[in-house]
Amino acid sequence: METFETYLKNNRVVFFLMLYSIVFFVLYLFRNTGIICDEKENYPQILNFSNGDYHLLEISAVPGYHACMALLFKVTGWTSLFAARSLTIIFGCLSVFVFFLLTLRINPESSVLKTLQFFLFPSIFIYYFVLYTDILSLLLVMIMLLFTLDKRYILAGIFGILSMCIRQNNVLWVAFIPALVYFEKFQTQLSINNIIETFKTTWVCFLGIALFILFVILNKGVAVGDSASHPAFKFSTGNLFFILFCFFVFFLPMHIANIPKVIAYLKSGIWPIILSTIFFLLYWFTFKNDHPYNNIAMEYFIRNHILVFVAKTPIRILLFFVPIFYAFLSLLVTPLKLKSWNLFYVITVLFLLPSWLIEQRYYMIPFVIFMLLRKDQTIFVERITILYYVTILCLMLPQVVTLKTFF
């Protein structure tokens, strides 16, 4: 008997019509919602560009997103906040389709379930409907990964460079491509000839890295605006630990299913104990919540509320370590479909380490890559994960729409 997932996989038009119907219904809920957080900088910047005023406001990212949206304003003649949100969901809808194409290349047997999980992933879904740079950035990086899987590295590099025009720190994901190509061909055999051969294949990615270096030199930093809050070389472990906390929350069904594997891992010898000790010491002595933006509007930002609450006492900091540590262990016992892509964990650390501001939006790309690559749990766990995301969204969406809270 054909399952509902099989029916949707075989009737893709129905599948995407269902998903996009949900998108437009939720968009309708946002019809009377006022300016949300960073929209207060992004929306005026888009309006200025569409009116021929190219003076940059206090935005930290390269204004590629704003230029794209201004072009859509010009083409459609739409300029209201709700109209702008209606246009930005184009990027969200495209990202769902590209994710589906990626699953067909990596994990075709569970493409429908994985795509539903991506579509409903709480910390991504909300951003389909607001004027933020992140969904367009994510879309371009996913297209880059799609061409990488197809071994069309020139196109992968081009879309990687385009993603850098939306968020400049995407240069790390552009660098991921030649690193991955090198590792897949030569493993850890380092030589000039191997580097030259990799360069010949992925030269566009190297061009992107060179352009980023030139940009940093000319701009005298990574951030375009508000550089004091986004210093170029202030390294912090805050995001490394908070991504693990978010990982614990958003992949909770998987973590519960992993309990037997985690217990077996901890019993496997002395090395897990040594690694756990090092991990705890790193957390205890380096985790801090000292960015000004992480210590404001705790009643509105869920992230800030959690961080400020935790940082108040040593016992809370210690208790906060529990889900972080378990998420770390669960990650260790969760294999990826493509072993060579384990390299993306290294890129994730390099991607997050220079970011002083603790911000869950930075985790979209690592989470998406993990969703794509992780080996499936049982069909029950995968379906429960979808219901889990639906529950979170049902609790969160009314709060966001009424401007009572945000991530």
Side-chain angles (χ1 to χ4, degrees):
M1 184 176 178
E2 186 179 51
T3 65
F4 185 57
E5 291 94 341
T6 305
Y7 171 79
L8 292 177
K9 184 177 179 181
N10 294 333
N11 296 271
R12 295 175 187 178
V13 173
V14 174
F15 180 46
F16 284 101
L17 282 176
M18 180 185 75
L19 297 186
Y20 295 157
S21 296
I22 296 171
V23 168
F24 285 102
F25 170 73
V26 176
L27 175 66
Y28 177 75
L29 299 180
F30 276 89
R31 67 193 182 281
N32 296 319
T33 303
I35 291 281
I36 295 175
C37 305
D38 286 5
E39 287 186 324
K40 67 181 183 295
E41 287 89 25
N42 292 332
Y43 181 52
Q45 187 70 79
I46 295 166
L47 283 175
N48 286 357
F49 279 3
S50 66
N51 292 324
D53 178 2
Y54 300 106
H55 173 72
L56 291 181
L57 303 177
E58 196 70 8
I59 58 173
S60 60
V62 176
Y65 166 77
H66 310 84
C68 287
M69 289 298 295
L71 179 61
L72 290 174
F73 274 26
K74 284 282 190 181
V75 171
T76 61
W78 299 352
T79 58
S80 71
L81 178 62
F82 180 69
R85 288 172 175 162
S86 301
L87 291 171
T88 205
I89 66 168
I90 294 170
F91 306 133
C93 291
L94 287 173
S95 71
V96 176
F97 180 69
V98 173
F99 186 91
F100 180 74
L101 295 179
L102 283 163
T103 63
L104 292 179
R105 285 158 174 78
I106 298 172
N107 207 2
E109 63 275 10
S110 59
S111 56
V112 168
L113 286 174
K114 285 288 182 74
T115 302
L116 280 170
Q117 289 171 6
F118 166 75
F119 174 70
L120 296 166
F121 197 78
S123 67
I124 296 176
F125 186 84
I126 296 293
Y127 291 95
Y128 294 153
F129 310 98
V130 292
L131 302 183
Y132 272 66
T133 62
D134 302 273
I135 296 300
L136 178 55
S137 166
L138 176 62
L139 169 64
L140 293 170
V141 169
M142 286 200 299
I143 295 174
M144 179 190 75
L145 296 175
L146 186 65
F147 283 123
T148 299
L149 288 169
D150 291 343
K151 301 189 184 303
R152 302 171 71 179
Y153 300 119
I154 291 178
L155 285 172
I158 290 171
F159 277 93
I161 292 172
L162 289 175
S163 78
M164 288 166 51
C165 295
I166 309 302
R167 295 193 67 85
Q168 52 270 45
N169 61 343
N170 282 341
V171 65
L172 271 302
W173 299 111
V174 175
F176 173 58
I177 305 308
L180 179 66
V181 171
Y182 187 98
F183 184 74
E184 287 181 338
K185 284 186 178 180
F186 308 114
Q187 299 299 309
T188 56
Q189 299 173 12
L190 188 62
S191 76
I192 296 297
N193 289 336
N194 293 348
I195 293 171
I196 291 172
E197 186 174 338
T198 303
F199 177 82
K200 288 178 181 177
T201 306
T202 60
W203 64 269
V204 179
C205 296
F206 283 94
L207 174 62
I209 296 168
L211 289 172
F212 173 78
I213 294 170
L214 179 62
F215 164 78
V216 172
I217 293 171
L218 295 177
N219 187 58
K220 298 180 180 178
V222 177
V224 174
D226 197 17
S227 56
S229 299
H230 302 279
F233 301 105
K234 183 177 175 63
F235 297 101
S236 170
T237 61
N239 278 298
L240 298 182
F241 292 112
F242 199 69
I243 191 176
L244 285 169
F245 174 77
C246 293
F247 181 61
F248 177 83
V249 172
F250 292 130
F251 291 90
L252 185 59
M254 183 194 78
H255 295 317
I256 294 172
N258 275 345
I259 289 174
K261 293 180 182 178
V262 169
I263 293 172
Y265 173 74
L266 289 174
K267 291 180 177 179
S268 64
I270 190 64
W271 284 110
I273 306 301
I274 294 172
L275 181 62
S276 300
T277 303
I278 294 171
F279 185 76
F280 173 74
L281 292 174
L282 184 66
Y283 169 81
W284 187 255
F285 289 108
T286 67
F287 179 72
K288 295 178 181 177
N289 177 40
D290 57 356
H291 194 290
Y293 292 172
N294 288 134
N295 288 275
I296 59 172
M298 283 77 74
E299 71 286 350
Y300 182 65
F301 290 109
I302 296 175
R303 171 202 66 214
N304 288 0
H305 178 78
I306 293 170
L307 289 168
V308 171
F309 177 81
V310 165
K312 280 187 176 180
T313 66
I315 189 65
R316 291 180 185 177
I317 295 173
L318 188 62
L319 290 173
F320 191 56
F321 178 73
V322 175
I324 289 172
F325 180 56
Y326 183 81
F328 175 67
L329 294 175
S330 184
L331 190 65
L332 291 178
V333 300
T334 303
L336 302 184
K337 297 278 286 188
L338 305 174
K339 290 184 179 180
S340 59
W341 283 59
N342 278 294
L343 187 62
F344 103 89
Y345 291 126
V346 177
I347 301 298
T348 297
V349 171
L350 296 176
F351 182 69
L352 296 177
L353 200 57
S355 298
W356 180 24
L357 173 67
I358 299 175
E359 169 62 81
Q360 79 289 333
R361 288 184 293 124
Y362 302 162
Y363 314 153
M364 286 187 187
I365 295 170
F367 280 164
V368 165
I369 296 176
F370 180 78
M371 277 190 278
L372 281 167
L373 294 175
R374 72 173 178 85
K375 287 190 176 181
D376 295 346
Q377 299 282 341
T378 64
I379 193 71
F380 174 78
V381 173
E382 300 299 339
R383 289 173 177 171
I384 285 294
T385 299
I386 293 171
L387 292 176
Y388 177 60
Y389 292 164
V390 169
T391 303
I392 294 174
L393 287 174
C394 287
L395 293 172
M396 279 299 307
L397 269 174
Q399 304 297 314
V400 176
V401 167
T402 55
L403 298 175
K404 291 178 181 177
T405 194
F406 199 59
F407 285 106

